[in-house]
Every structure is written in C-alpha cells, then in structure tokens.
Amino acid sequence: MKLAFVCVGNAGRSQMAAALAERERDQRGVNAAIVTGGVDPAESVHDEVVAALREVDIDIGDRAPREISPEDIEDADYVVTMGCSVDQFRPEGWSGESRKWDLEANETREQRDEIERRVAELFDEIEAQRAA
C-alpha cells in the first residue's frame, strides 16, 4: 500500500500529514509506503510546523519540501490533497483514490490536531476495508 500527502508548498500541512501517517503506520504495524510533495515547493519546511510536531515527539527538522511528480503517485492507493488538486499531477490511467482535505483550522497546532485525527480515521478505514 502507498499513501501520498500533497499540498501546494509541501512546507506545512502535507509534511505534518506524512509525519503523522508514518507514526500511525508504525504504531499499527501497517505495511505502507508514505510519500509527500507539493505542486509548488517552498524553500523549507515552516519553523512553526517543525515546532508543532516536536510537541508530539515527531522530529521533521531534517526534511525539505519537494515537488510531487506523477511517478510518485502512479502506484499510490490513496492521494490526499490539501489546497491543490490531484489533477495537477495525476498520471494518465491512475486508479487510486483521491481525498481532498479542506482543513477548518487556521493555526498550526490546530491544523496538526485536525490532521492527526483525519490520518487516524484514514487508517481506520483502510484497516476496515482490508478486514472485509
């Protein structure tokens, strides 16, 4: 299984989602690859995002934004976008499932908490589908 988390700059929301998904995957023992990227990558991950994740014992201080490519998601089962559209980078014939997360929160820590909840719900759904 492969999950992709994408936003515009890959400096905030998608970085948080990928890091939280990695933790969720590891805690649940799910075999899943996780990729993140942006359609217009920023120069660095936002300092407030790094700080907010450190508060929940996740260190992404060494990560850098990167551009998402069609190759990144050609074998992805799920692509979650936040502020962009999968149509901007979807390869022809891609058959995965896309989700658009419109976050209600504006403040970084509130976004982190909302993303954490949504990531857990996504993993709950994945596990339920696999059990069915």
Side-chain angles (χ1 to χ4, degrees):
M1 169 179 324
K2 186 174 183 182
L3 308 168
F5 296 94
V6 185
C7 68
V8 175
N10 193 227
R13 297 166 293 179
S14 58
Q15 289 282 352
M16 286 193 285
L20 290 162
E22 289 165 355
R23 183 176 71 181
E24 193 74 24
R25 171 199 64 197
D26 295 347
Q27 288 175 344
R28 293 181 187 228
V30 174
N31 183 15
I34 296 170
V35 65
T36 187
V39 295
D40 185 19
E43 293 198 20
S44 63
V45 175
H46 300 310
D47 291 339
E48 61 270 17
V49 169
V50 174
L53 286 174
R54 280 192 180 132
E55 291 174 4
V56 294
D57 296 323
I58 297 175
D59 185 6
I60 64 164
D62 62 344
R63 296 191 186 182
R66 60 182 293 277
E67 186 170 1
I68 195 73
S69 72
E71 293 78 25
D72 288 326
I73 67 157
E74 64 189 0
D75 59 346
D77 299 285
Y78 294 89
V79 174
V80 176
T81 61
M82 294 163 271
C84 64
S85 169
V86 71
D87 294 332
Q88 293 176 266
F89 53 86
R90 173 178 49 202
E92 187 129 352
W94 178 68
S95 61
E97 186 174 329
S98 73
R99 305 281 176 92
K100 182 178 179 183
W101 287 356
D102 292 318
L103 302 180
E104 297 173 15
N106 291 318
E107 194 270 323
T108 302
R109 284 165 184 80
E110 292 172 354
Q111 285 183 350
R112 176 202 62 208
D113 295 345
E114 184 176 346
I115 291 169
E116 185 174 28
R117 177 184 54 77
R118 289 179 183 223
V119 164
E121 289 172 356
L122 178 59
F123 274 85
D124 287 346
E125 182 181 326
I126 290 167
E127 288 184 324
Q129 286 176 356
R130 290 184 167 222

